[in-house]
Amino acid sequence: NSLTTESGETKNIIVDNNKPTKPLISSGSYVNNTWTNSNVNLQIESSKALSGIKNYRYIVNNGEVPSENEWNNSAVLNGHFENNNLLNLNENLIANISNLNSDLNKTYWFRAESNAGILGEISSYNVKIQKSAPRNTTIEYEEPNSEGWYSKSPYIKLNDIKPLERQAPIYIHYKLWNKSVGETENSVNEVIYDGSNLPAISNDGEYSLRVWTVDEVGNRSDVAADVYKDFNYDSTMPIMSLNYDNNNSTNDKYYSKSRNAILSVNDTNFNPDKVKIKVTSVDNGNTVEMSGNSWSSDGIVHSVTIPFDSDGDYKIEAMCSDKAGNVSNNINDNDFVIDMTAPTLDISNVQDLSA
């Protein structure tokens, strides 16, 4: 429209009753409404109005659509025009919110204000920044016996960990390795807990468990807060056997020379203090509980020698348990007799020169 003044001068008049269009929002490599641990920069531009764009207004909140009253009191974001030409109403007004660099989970609402004083269509952008490390979880488990062992597979529970309000989701990670078979922390795969795949110990061994958390962005919980726990599991009963170094008997029972009993225990989790050996002297009823000489070990086979070097009628009984409390088979051997004394001949009631 144009207007002619009294002096005959013609002036252009712009009548603008329309809302400015939605501003465009760009953020470089950041994707709207996703979590990041990098800084975020927002650029607002390209809103159009016949009368031109005066500025942008913005509100920051937790996602609630702002009311018109809130927009009337909203913050003003001034920008710059391309080519710095303020006289051209069609120039693009560009504004920035730069260097968002701390934990953040907010919605940014933008709308342009035209030179006619009209507020435009609304655009929004969700910014989620997580730079602080997540908290770690805790675990629950059955207590082992007094020697630190389990005879049944221990149940290990990973407690759920919730992020603090408006923080990135947290996921539980763990590693479980069996040192008894040569595994190390570096040789086993990392597991992400999905609510069902709890750490499971099914084979005998000495295990270590490490638990930590990682949030959706990739931030790891503090290493110093890692849960680190050992679990020793043995479900296998010890196997006992009894052998002798002298099996040259008369009538399956009588021995004219001394003999040694060799008691062996086959067990990966051996405790000599858990072995009970009972030697009974059958002829006089005396019973002696003994451990024999010092135990020797060859891998998982542990042996002790019990000497029988004096006359007597003997019987051996033995049993044991290991550190986990698994009980062995019983040894209950037949009795045997050691008789190393030569018989003597005693002649009596014979008169001299009577023959």
Side-chain angles (χ1 to χ4, degrees):
N1 295 325
S2 62
L3 175 69
T4 302
T5 64
E6 292 181 356
S7 62
E9 181 181 3
T10 300
K11 291 186 177 182
N12 292 326
I13 299 174
I14 298 175
V15 178
D16 184 4
N17 293 318
N18 295 320
K19 290 183 177 181
T21 59
K22 283 185 177 183
L24 298 180
I25 305 170
S26 59
S27 57
S29 61
Y30 174 71
V31 179
N32 179 31
N33 200 35
T34 61
W35 286 100
T36 182
N37 55 9
S38 300
N39 296 352
V40 174
N41 298 304
L42 299 180
Q43 181 170 291
I44 303 90
E45 59 180 325
S46 300
S47 188
K48 303 295 184 182
L50 181 62
S51 62
I53 302 301
K54 178 181 179 182
N55 56 44
Y56 293 105
R57 288 181 172 269
Y58 73 99
I59 293 172
V60 182
N61 62 22
N62 290 337
E64 307 86 3
V65 177
S67 66
E68 287 301 317
N69 184 57
E70 288 177 292
W71 280 114
N72 292 332
N73 296 285
S74 58
V76 173
L77 185 64
N78 293 309
H80 63 277
F81 288 92
E82 286 183 342
N83 302 322
N84 294 317
N85 185 357
L86 297 179
L87 298 178
N88 189 338
L89 298 179
N90 293 320
E91 289 288 351
N92 181 27
L93 180 65
I94 299 175
N96 294 281
I97 294 181
S98 300
N99 204 31
L100 300 175
N101 59 7
S102 59
D103 288 2
L104 183 69
N105 184 359
K106 295 290 184 180
T107 300
Y108 286 74
W109 303 86
F110 299 96
R111 66 194 307 190
E113 182 180 6
S114 70
N115 285 312
I118 298 174
L119 294 177
E121 301 293 338
I122 299 171
S123 294
S124 64
Y125 213 77
N126 299 318
V127 179
K128 297 179 177 181
I129 301 174
Q130 183 74 48
K131 293 198 171 187
S132 59
R135 297 169 298 137
N136 199 13
T137 187
T138 57
I139 68 172
E140 297 178 29
Y141 51 87
E142 303 167 83
E143 291 294 335
N145 66 14
S146 59
E147 295 196 62
W149 283 81
Y150 298 89
S151 60
K152 295 182 179 180
S153 178
Y155 175 75
I156 305 169
K157 179 184 177 183
L158 304 177
N159 291 320
D160 290 338
I161 180 72
K162 302 295 184 183
L164 299 177
E165 185 178 5
R166 304 189 67 75
Q167 287 194 341
I170 298 173
Y171 305 97
I172 300 172
H173 293 229
Y174 70 84
K175 281 189 172 186
L176 178 69
W177 62 99
N178 187 350
K179 295 173 289 187
S180 299
V181 297
E183 291 180 347
T184 66
E185 183 173 3
N186 292 330
S187 71
V188 298
N189 293 327
E190 179 178 327
V191 178
I192 302 176
Y193 178 54
D194 62 10
S196 62
N197 56 340
L198 289 168
I201 296 175
S202 57
N203 297 318
D204 290 1
E206 297 180 43
Y207 290 80
S208 289
L209 172 68
R210 184 185 295 276
V211 182
W212 68 98
T213 58
V214 178
D215 65 24
E216 188 168 302
V217 184
N219 299 311
R220 188 194 190 283
S221 58
D222 187 356
V223 174
D226 283 3
V227 175
Y228 187 90
K229 176 67 179 174
D230 290 330
F231 294 90
N232 301 320
Y233 173 52
D234 180 6
S235 63
T236 305
M237 62 177 284
I239 303 298
M240 298 189 76
S241 60
L242 181 65
N243 295 286
Y244 298 91
D245 63 355
N246 174 13
N247 292 308
N248 296 320
S249 65
T250 301
N251 296 327
D252 295 327
K253 176 175 181 177
Y254 299 92
Y255 297 84
S256 60
K257 293 183 179 180
S258 63
R259 66 191 314 219
N260 293 317
I262 298 93
L263 182 65
S264 298
V265 180
N266 189 320
D267 191 55
T268 58
N269 187 16
F270 178 68
N271 182 353
D273 294 333
K274 297 279 190 174
V275 181
K276 294 181 180 180
I277 305 171
K278 184 168 69 173
V279 177
T280 301
S281 180
V282 177
D283 51 359
N284 60 26
N286 291 334
T287 297
V288 177
E289 292 189 1
M290 56 187 301
S291 60
N293 298 324
S294 298
W295 287 87
S296 61
S297 298
D298 182 9
I300 63 172
V301 179
H302 316 275
S303 302
V304 67
T305 298
I306 306 170
F308 294 92
D309 51 12
S310 60
D311 291 357
D313 188 347
Y314 300 101
K315 182 177 178 61
I316 299 178
E317 299 172 83
M319 61 82 63
C320 73
S321 59
D322 58 22
K323 293 179 181 179
N326 301 302
V327 179
S328 72
N329 57 305
N330 289 327
I331 296 294
N332 192 355
D333 201 30
N334 294 329
D335 68 304
F336 61 89
V337 175
I338 301 292
D339 184 0
M340 298 181 291
T341 304
T344 59
L345 181 61
D346 185 14
I347 301 175
S348 62
N349 298 320
V350 177
Q351 296 182 0
D352 190 21
L353 299 178
S354 62

